[in-house]
Amino acid sequence: MSDRVNARLPKPLAEHVKKMVGPEGLYETPSEYLRSLIRKDMNSDVNYVSTSLIEGFTDISDGRYFESTGDWEKDKAILADKEAAGWK
């Protein structure tokens, strides 16, 4: 099953798509190019989440964590202080 998506592009974007498609470009059709961009975007989100989770687990195992106050601004200040002090 597939859905059709139509998009209006401003001139600079449309010109870029034209460069990427056809005999001189890397893709045969605009659809092929857009599918490729969407797949790359999907993979970058997955990689970002995976990397962030691994970094979070590493921080916890290395003792770099604190209990949240529930106040975003206070927590940012605590984090900045802990990072400045080298988490001592």
Side-chain angles (χ1 to χ4, degrees):
M1 180 180 155
S2 65
D3 289 325
R4 178 171 291 279
V5 176
N6 295 311
R8 296 174 77 81
L9 300 175
K11 189 172 183 173
L13 295 180
E15 288 174 356
H16 179 74
V17 171
K18 285 179 187 175
K19 289 178 191 174
M20 297 301 293
V21 173
E24 303 297 318
L26 299 172
Y27 301 92
E28 291 185 24
T29 66
S31 293
E32 180 185 346
Y33 178 47
L34 292 174
R35 284 191 296 271
S36 174
L37 289 174
I38 292 167
R39 286 185 189 104
K40 286 177 189 174
D41 186 50
M42 290 169 65
N43 285 332
S44 69
D45 287 347
V46 168
N47 291 334
Y48 173 77
V49 170
S50 296
T51 301
S52 296
L53 287 171
I54 291 168
E55 288 174 0
F57 286 126
T58 301
D59 283 343
I60 290 168
S61 69
D62 291 343
R64 292 186 299 267
Y65 63 92
F66 63 93
E67 188 171 335
S68 173
T69 65
D71 181 310
W72 175 245
E73 294 301 323
K74 286 182 185 176
D75 285 353
K76 286 194 323 188
I78 292 169
L79 177 61
D81 290 345
K82 288 196 171 283
E83 288 179 340
W87 284 92
K88 296 176 184 169

